[in-house]
Amino acid sequence: MSIADFMAKQCVQTAVYWGNPVDDGYGKNTYDDPVELTPPDNGVRWVQKIQLLRDWEGKGETFECIGFVYVLQELDKDGCLFLGTLNDLDSADYDNPLDNPAVFRIRQFEKVPALRSTDVFVYKAYLSQWQYR
């Protein structure tokens, strides 16, 4: 069994993802319309685990990570994730996920190649609370 097959069998949860974050000029982001990441082709595995991590792309600051999510595709840093379906959200959350405390920011994103592979990856998103709530 390949690592891609293994990860597809593990990623059995559904999540909602807001991608393509763009600074709105007022300290917040706007996003593309939310999409569901659904198994078997695009599910997630959500792990709740509070830990302190260091932001390797910024100034090396530490931040509290509330968990991480294994996914089957690349996601945008500073995008948003919600564990559940679009039906679990109010329609107001579609345009402004920041108003929902169950929506989390992708603070860091890892793309690690599988052993002996240049085109198969394992993807992991680290989540944190929004800083400007």
Side-chain angles (χ1 to χ4, degrees):
M1 175 186 299
S2 73
I3 189 70
D5 293 335
F6 175 78
M7 291 307 297
K9 288 183 185 281
Q10 300 303 310
C11 294
V12 297
Q13 296 171 292
T14 299
V16 177
Y17 169 62
W18 290 262
N20 193 27
V22 176
D23 187 341
D24 69 358
Y26 297 99
K28 295 187 178 182
N29 290 329
T30 59
Y31 303 93
D32 288 346
D33 291 336
V35 294
E36 277 189 2
L37 305 179
T38 57
D41 298 326
N42 231 354
V44 305
R45 181 169 184 88
W46 195 287
V47 180
Q48 289 182 280
K49 179 181 179 183
I50 296 176
Q51 56 189 338
L52 288 178
L53 295 177
R54 188 170 304 275
D55 182 4
W56 63 74
E57 293 179 357
K59 299 175 185 171
E61 303 163 336
T62 58
F63 68 94
E64 183 177 78
C65 172
I66 61 92
F68 54 88
V69 180
Y70 290 106
V71 294
L72 302 175
Q73 67 179 47
E74 285 192 58
L75 302 180
D76 295 322
K77 183 178 182 286
D78 292 328
C80 303
L81 281 173
F82 168 77
L83 181 59
T85 67
L86 284 168
N87 289 335
D88 297 331
L89 294 166
D90 292 331
S91 59
D93 294 331
Y94 288 14
D95 293 330
N96 193 3
L98 305 177
D99 290 341
N100 186 328
V103 175
F104 298 96
R105 173 184 175 203
I106 300 172
R107 182 67 186 263
Q108 288 184 168
F109 188 77
E110 288 182 354
K111 177 181 174 182
V112 180
L115 294 175
R116 296 185 214 109
S117 176
T118 59
D119 60 351
V120 176
F121 297 91
V122 175
Y123 305 102
K124 189 175 181 181
Y126 293 90
L127 307 177
S128 71
Q129 292 283 351
W130 291 102
Q131 292 179 341
Y132 39 82
R133 279 208 168 129

